[in-house]
């Protein structure tokens, strides 16, 4: 029996999320995306299990709803929920999550760090204290960061070795900038990749490329650099659906990664996600 193919990063949402209304270019994905839409894409792409990631940018109630959803939908193997690293009520929010009857599905947390202006946010003492507190609740913390925030992310990973860190979307390199974007990102991400408690998602790259004109060759240098820096055993496939629909269908995202890798690598397409998010331990 083949190992399950796992999508380590996708969303479901309702069209009333405030950030969806914040930019005209998001209009193509400003609609509801539910379980039926997800299942259709999984079937078409040959994906077995998934990790559902927060998308409401600041509402813990979404995380609770997602835990209920994971318990009802076989394909959803785990949830990465929301946490505000500066919230003085963080311990009580963690306790609320931990006491949820479906808490076993909570495999990670993330803050929308990419929206924090400070490039050194993750290295602040109070943030490091929050991350150490989180380490007692979930196995991982997802890093949704900009390229200029990657050095601080490396400091955080080194300071909290007991917590696994997952770099979403490879740290959002500017794929559309070609070689210049590659050089800037590679220099910034290399110290983070050296931390043994860090894995990364090959996700979100198509929306950092030219939405209308990208090809797998545009993604290739970034994916190859990630393989060199992290190795396949610390990389995982993520569709970033439905955000990816701004530039590509779910199936095209998966096919592009397969083309660049030259095969369906068992770590990238399942093994790394299963180990990192402890999906076999629910």
């Amino acid at each position: 029996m083949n190992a399950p193919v796992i999508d380590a990063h996708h969303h479901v949402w309702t069209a009333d999320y405030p950030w969806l209304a914040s930019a005209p270019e998001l209009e193509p994905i400003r609609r509801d995306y539910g379980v039926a839409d997800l299942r259709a894409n999984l079937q078409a792409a040959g994906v077995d299990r998934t990790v559902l990631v927060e998308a409401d940018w600041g509402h813990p109630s979404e995380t609770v709803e997602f835990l209920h959803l994971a318990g009802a939908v076989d394909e959803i193997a785990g949830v990465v929920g929301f946490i505000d690293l500066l919230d003085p009520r963080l311990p009580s929010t963690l306790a609320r999550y931990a006491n949820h009857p479906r808490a076993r599905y909570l495999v990670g947390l993330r803050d929308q760090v990419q929206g924090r202006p400070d490039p050194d946010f993750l290295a602040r003492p109070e943030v490091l204290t929050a991350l150490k507190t989180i380490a007692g609740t979930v196995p991982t913390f997802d890093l949704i960061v900009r390229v200029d925030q990657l050095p601080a992310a490396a400091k955080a990973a080194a300071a909290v070795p007991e917590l696994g860190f997952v770099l979403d979307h490879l740290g959002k390199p500017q794929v559309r900038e070609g070689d210049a974007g590659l050089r800037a990102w590679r220099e910034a991400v290399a110290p983070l990749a050296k931390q043994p408690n860090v894995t990364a998602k090959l996700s979100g790259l198509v929306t950092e490329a030219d939405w209308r004109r990208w090809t797998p060759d545009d993604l290739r240098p970034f994916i190859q650099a990630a393989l060199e820096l992290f190795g396949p055993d610390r990389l995982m496939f993520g569709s970033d659906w439905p955000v990816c629909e701004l530039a590509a269908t779910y199936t095209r995202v998966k096919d592009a990664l397969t083309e660049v890798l030259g095969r369906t690598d068992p770590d990238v397409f399942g093994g790394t996600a299963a180990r990192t998010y402890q999906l076999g331990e629910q």
Side-chain angles (χ1 to χ4, degrees), residues 90-108:
L90 183 145
S92 63
T93 299
L94 292 175
R96 180 186 179 195
Y97 291 164
N99 292 327
H100 192 280
R102 290 174 173 166
R104 66 187 182 278
Y105 290 103
L106 187 66
V107 298

Side-chain angles (χ1 to χ4, degrees), residues 12-18 20 29-33 56 62:
V12 294
W13 64 52
T14 56
D16 60 356
Y17 282 9
L20 277 172
I29 58 172
R30 196 175 298 133
R31 70 170 182 85
D32 293 356
Y33 287 90
D56 204 5
E62 182 197 54

Side-chain angles (χ1 to χ4, degrees), residues 213-231:
R213 299 180 181 87
W214 74 272
T215 71
D217 285 339
D218 297 319
L219 313 182
R220 190 181 305 276
F222 297 88
I223 294 171
Q224 290 178 336
L227 285 168
E228 179 184 337
L229 293 167
F230 289 93

